[in-house]
Amino acid sequence: MLIRLLSFALFQGVGALLAAIFMRVFAPLHSGAVVSSLVGALGATYFWLLWDLSRGLRVMRWLRSDQTREVAVQSGLWGEFSNRIRRLLRNNERAVQQRDERLQEFLAAMQASPNGVVLLDKDFRIEWFNESAALHFGLDARRDMEQHFANLVRDPSFAAYVAAKDFENDVLMPGRANTVSLPVRLSVHVHPYGEGRSLLLSRDVTAVEQAEAMRRDFVANVSHEIRTPLTVLGGFVETLQTLSLNESERARYLDLMAQQASRMQSLVSDLLTLSRLEGSPLPSAHEWVDVSLLVDQCRQEAGELSRVLWGQTHSLSFEIQSGLSLAGSAAELHSAFFNLIGNAVRYTPAGKSIRVVASATPEGGALFAVHDQGMGIAQEHIGRLTERFYRVDRSRSRDTGGTGLGLAIVKHVVQRHGAELSISSTPGEGSRFQIMFPAHRVQFQAAHAPAHALAA
Ligand code: ADP
């Protein structure tokens, strides 16, 4: 401001001085020196105003242009004015850039969300959506922006949800990729916000729904499995209470009751085994279980089962590589091995042969296999055998004390030991159940030891 006042005074002073000199040189006889100085000062004032205006115009032109990096005027009031404006613009630019970066980070976070996010304006038109939403609803960023969401997603339950405008809860609907063989279920929830805008969130709940359906089926199956022997037991109790029976009839009824009780016991025991397998930490990779000892125990139990079920034994042969150890839980491995051997005994008529093999593989792993000459299993059942309560021959399973959970237990144990179960079978000829253990769970104490054969 001081410079401005000084320049103004300087212009006037120089103007007055120049007018006075002019009068002195060109009209020395005239005596109006004061008047001419005043006129000179006035002229200089106009000149100063013009000069100031031209600087102001330069600043104005500079402001109108996009190039605001270099100021148009360096000095004086206009210079300072330009500098301050430039600083303000720069701060503003920086703030906008920071806000832009934060917005991009925010959008990237929403993009990374496994849930679908759609931003809708007050007319329910799409403003933005993330990848998951694109996948859930089959949206295309180039085609569908600003489209009415309800025109693109035409599921009747969703249409009714939007029409009711009651967004308290979510709505369940099929996803875009939904097919009969591969169902996709979405939970969609609209959250109104701001002035009439909406945030639409979608979540893939296929796995949750399937787990819930499995849980329902499981409870229904368990109830059914328990109700059947309970009903039979109840019937026998009633018979014993109401009829006067002789000693042998009484003994026969009590025998049948004991069978039903033992069936329930087996079921509860298998259920507990399954729940232990699901809830306990993975088996140790450092505790070594001697396969010969384990299979030896199974061999005795299999012989016993064979005698109890069939009155005579099968031709049971065991080819176990000595010195073979597996890392894991002895109880779990025993349960898996005996379930497979027990099934072979239960589903193979007496007199036929059952062969159990445990040996190292050339890759450093180990296999445990049970071959039988039983009734075999049709191909369409094989993929489902490890499902809980799945039975091919329901009556044979029940008659031999089966719970329908044996192979489900085997599958769990196999998975927990990082192994693989494979099943092959030919109806009428027999079946082969095989577990392959990975190399890190296998150890030999005596390398190249030959397999030793045992016959029951
Ligand atoms: P279960 O207690 O009924 O035997 P599992 O889960 O052990 O239940 O087996 C499921 C079904 O698989 C059995 O009901 C049976 O129909 C079939 N199965 C299992 N092992 C054999 C086998 N070795 N030979 C023929 N069928 C078998």
Side-chain angles (χ1 to χ4, degrees):
M1 195 65 190
L2 188 68
I3 293 176
R4 191 174 174 81
L5 285 176
L6 281 176
S7 71
F8 185 63
L10 191 71
F11 261 73
Q12 284 186 326
V14 171
L17 191 70
L18 285 176
I21 293 169
F22 181 85
M23 286 300 287
R24 188 97 183 194
V25 173
F26 295 104
L29 297 179
H30 278 267
S31 54
V34 175
V35 175
S36 58
S37 293
L38 280 176
V39 170
L42 197 66
T45 302
Y46 279 117
F47 190 71
W48 183 88
L49 281 174
L50 279 177
W51 172 73
D52 193 57
L53 190 67
S54 83
R55 280 161 63 87
L57 284 173
R58 262 163 66 196
V59 171
M60 190 59 85
R61 260 201 309 276
W62 170 73
L63 277 177
R64 281 194 191 124
S65 76
D66 289 336
Q67 303 298 322
T68 48
R69 286 198 179 281
E70 291 299 318
V71 287
V73 178
Q74 296 284 354
S75 58
L77 187 73
W78 288 115
E80 185 161 347
F81 180 70
S82 317
N83 260 322
R84 278 176 194 258
I85 284 192
R86 187 180 62 165
R87 217 171 303 148
L88 266 175
L89 284 172
R90 216 186 290 152
N91 287 348
N92 233 24
E93 244 170 52
R94 223 171 283 152
V96 168
Q97 196 182 339
Q98 275 173 1
R99 234 171 287 154
D100 208 47
E101 278 169 12
R102 288 191 62 185
L103 179 69
Q104 289 310 321
E105 280 168 15
F106 183 68
L107 290 179
M110 292 224 277
Q111 203 56 276
S113 161
N115 293 339
V117 181
V118 185
L119 301 181
L120 300 164
D121 69 7
K122 59 181 179 4
D123 298 322
F124 228 61
R125 287 178 193 282
I126 300 174
E127 287 186 323
W128 185 88
F129 57 83
N130 69 356
E131 291 271 331
S132 303
L135 215 70
H136 288 169
F137 302 108
L139 300 176
D140 181 323
R142 268 172 299 176
R143 189 191 57 202
D144 297 331
M145 280 299 176
E146 294 180 17
Q147 293 294 314
H148 202 284
F149 191 77
N151 287 344
L152 300 173
V153 178
R154 292 176 165 275
D155 176 71
S157 44
F158 179 72
Y161 176 71
V162 174
K165 288 194 167 41
D166 178 7
F167 301 133
E168 187 80 7
N169 298 308
D170 58 346
V171 62
L172 290 175
M173 57 174 276
R176 183 57 169 240
N178 181 61
T179 58
V180 179
S181 53
L182 269 180
V184 178
R185 298 282 295 163
L186 297 179
S187 148
V188 180
H189 203 159
V190 173
H191 300 270
Y193 76 98
E195 287 170 14
R197 288 163 183 274
S198 303
L199 168 73
L200 183 144
L201 297 179
S202 60
R203 197 160 50 94
D204 189 332
V205 290
T206 316
V208 179
E209 288 225 326
Q210 278 170 352
E212 180 56 25
M214 270 171 68
R215 193 192 61 79
R216 271 197 308 268
D217 284 355
F218 183 66
V219 170
N221 275 324
V222 171
S223 313
H224 175 76
E225 294 289 332
I226 288 182
R227 198 176 46 206
T228 314
L230 259 185
T231 313
V232 180
L233 258 181
F236 288 144
V237 170
E238 210 179 300
T239 311
L240 286 174
Q241 280 172 335
T242 52
L243 295 180
S244 57
L245 302 167
N246 61 35
E247 204 44 49
S248 76
E249 282 172 332
R250 240 179 116 75
R252 200 167 62 83
Y253 274 107
L254 286 173
D255 220 35
L256 291 169
M257 286 169 77
Q259 268 178 30
Q260 297 304 321
S262 123
R263 198 175 138 187
M264 282 199 291
Q265 248 170 4
S266 309
L267 180 68
V268 171
S269 152
D270 278 0
L271 285 171
L272 283 175
T273 305
L274 265 180
S275 96
R276 260 197 305 273
L277 287 174
E278 282 175 344
S280 59
L282 285 178
S284 157
H286 308 290
E287 274 173 39
W288 294 94
V289 183
D290 186 328
V291 176
S292 303
L293 290 180
L294 205 64
V295 179
D296 227 24
Q297 195 185 340
C298 294
R299 186 178 63 88
Q300 286 167 19
E301 291 162 344
E304 188 58 31
L305 185 67
S306 175
R307 259 187 300 277
V308 170
L309 286 180
W310 299 94
Q312 50 175 308
T313 57
H314 294 84
S315 152
L316 282 162
S317 72
F318 288 79
E319 294 160 32
I320 313 301
Q321 185 146 29
S322 36
L324 188 63
S325 302
L326 292 173
S329 152
E332 289 185 21
L333 290 171
H334 171 263
S335 164
F337 290 179
F338 186 66
N339 261 306
L340 295 185
I341 299 172
N343 277 353
V345 171
R346 288 166 51 226
Y347 298 105
T348 304
K352 298 262 182 175
S353 74
I354 294 170
R355 198 169 131 246
V356 180
V357 178
S359 67
T361 62
E363 296 78 34
L367 70 81
F368 173 84
V370 181
H371 308 249
D372 67 51
Q373 292 182 332
M375 55 184 66
I377 306 157
Q379 197 57 36
E380 70 262 26
H381 296 293
I382 290 186
R384 301 193 59 190
L385 289 182
T386 55
E387 285 176 23
R388 291 164 190 203
F389 299 112
Y390 190 84
R391 293 171 170 111
V392 182
D393 185 342
R394 199 159 272 275
S395 62
R396 175 98 211 108
S397 162
R398 291 236 168 87
D399 293 349
T400 54
T403 58
L405 296 173
L407 290 179
I409 292 175
V410 174
K411 187 179 114 182
H412 260 284
V413 173
V414 164
Q415 280 175 348
R416 284 163 62 82
H417 286 77
E420 263 177 47
L421 172 71
S422 55
I423 306 169
S424 54
S425 186
T426 312
E429 285 185 21
S431 313
R432 179 168 174 271
F433 288 76
Q434 177 180 287
I435 304 175
M436 284 292 275
F437 289 92
H440 68 270
R441 290 228 174 230
V442 178
Q443 205 177 58
F444 292 108
Q445 259 136 34
H448 312 300
H452 72 270
L454 292 163

